[in-house]
Amino acid sequence: QVTLRESGPALVKPTQTLTLTCDFSGFSFSTRGMCVSWIRHPPGKALEWLALIDWDDDKYYSTSLKTRLTISKDTSKDQVVLTMTNMDPVDTATYYCARSQWVGDELDYWGRGTLVTVSS
Amino acid sequence: EIVLTQSPGTLSLSPGERVTLSCRASQSVSSNYLAWYQLKPGQAPRLLIYGASRRATDIPDRFSGSGSATDFSLTITRLEPEDFAVYYCQHFDTSSYTFGQGTKLEI
């Protein structure tokens, strides 16, 4: 059974760096093709894809946010970490991690998300 | 960059009705990379359709997807109470995932 769970701070201050962790089970980065993405959902707005890391440690970023994002993985812990620098109130959103089986494939399993509020 | 435009933004319907949601791409896209998702508050988003027309695992057959090139649709026959949610189409192209702005189904 594939599961993903996001964790991180519920509240961050403007200009701070956000660090989110995705713990997953039921699949492994040792399987060729496996990928984990981060997606966010600001309240009242659309889903926005942020970043992806694949089994081979290749990384892909949203064009508009790439200067602020870093994605990494710890294969031994079955974890993916996303950092986003210089947080702003407009970054307030529910942040999700999701799996795909190849780059570009559909996001077939998602976590329940973690709400991050940016406020002083 | 490809833009996905979903219509309508909000639909008010009743259980038992049939509905078709639209997703239009700003340029022709590969059907292989067109997916639909369902979002409900407090729940993990759920993949419904991938490859434009293939139902994901455990998705009821009242959900169907169709379309090609720039025009895609998601049809739900016989709406159930649990189907009232927000639906997003999504595409992958040039190393990036793109989502539409969503369609909200409300009772």
Side-chain angles (χ1 to χ4, degrees):
Chain A
Q1 181 187 4
V2 173
T3 65
L4 302 99
R5 185 182 66 197
E6 306 87 351
S7 60
L11 180 67
V12 297
K13 296 185 188 310
T15 75
Q16 286 186 336
T17 294
L18 171 68
T19 300
L20 296 172
T21 300
C22 176
D23 291 286
F24 60 85
S25 63
F27 67 97
S28 170
F29 275 119
S30 62
T31 301
R32 183 180 171 89
M34 283 297 168
C35 308
V36 172
S37 284
W38 285 93
I39 305 99
R40 69 180 179 180
H41 190 201
K45 297 187 178 180
L47 292 170
E48 179 181 22
W49 175 80
L50 301 175
L52 176 152
I53 189 166
D54 75 6
W55 66 287
D56 203 28
D57 214 38
D58 290 322
K59 299 160 188 176
Y60 303 80
Y61 294 101
S62 160
T63 302
S64 61
L65 292 168
K66 63 190 300 182
T67 60
R68 299 174 52 204
L69 297 173
T70 303
I71 192 170
S72 62
K73 63 180 174 57
D74 185 332
T75 301
S76 66
K77 294 182 179 179
D78 287 342
Q79 262 184 3
V80 172
V81 174
L82 180 77
T83 62
M84 180 180 291
T85 61
N86 195 25
M87 294 293 285
D88 183 271
V90 300
D91 297 312
T92 294
T94 297
Y95 287 75
Y96 298 98
C97 59
R99 183 194 84 159
S100 58
Q101 299 193 49
W102 289 96
V103 174
D105 276 4
E106 62 280 358
L107 303 164
D108 56 1
Y109 289 93
W110 296 60
R112 287 176 170 262
T114 186
L115 176 61
V116 178
T117 301
V118 185
S119 174
S120 55
Chain B
E1 179 182 322
I2 293 172
V3 175
L4 299 178
T5 301
Q6 292 186 241
S7 60
T10 303
L11 270 173
S12 297
L13 297 162
S14 299
E17 290 193 88
R18 174 191 176 101
V19 62
T20 297
L21 311 182
S22 172
C23 176
R24 181 160 292 178
S26 57
Q27 57 187 278
S28 184
V29 301
S30 168
S31 298
N32 291 335
Y33 297 119
L34 196 288
W36 290 89
Y37 303 87
Q38 179 190 66
L39 264 73
K40 295 181 181 179
Q43 297 187 18
R46 183 166 71 148
L47 171 68
L48 301 174
I49 300 290
Y50 66 98
S53 61
R54 298 173 181 150
R55 264 191 304 277
T57 304
D58 295 332
I59 300 303
D61 62 7
R62 65 179 183 274
F63 291 91
S64 64
S66 64
S68 63
T70 60
D71 289 298
F72 299 87
S73 62
L74 173 71
T75 297
I76 313 172
T77 59
R78 302 180 313 276
L79 279 166
E80 298 286 342
E82 62 266 28
D83 299 336
F84 291 90
V86 183
Y87 292 84
Y88 288 92
C89 60
Q90 168 260 309
H91 182 260
F92 178 86
D93 184 58
T94 57
S95 305
S96 179
Y97 286 81
T98 301
F99 291 91
Q101 80 273 30
T103 292
K104 181 179 182 180
L105 291 189
E106 60 181 25
I107 296 178

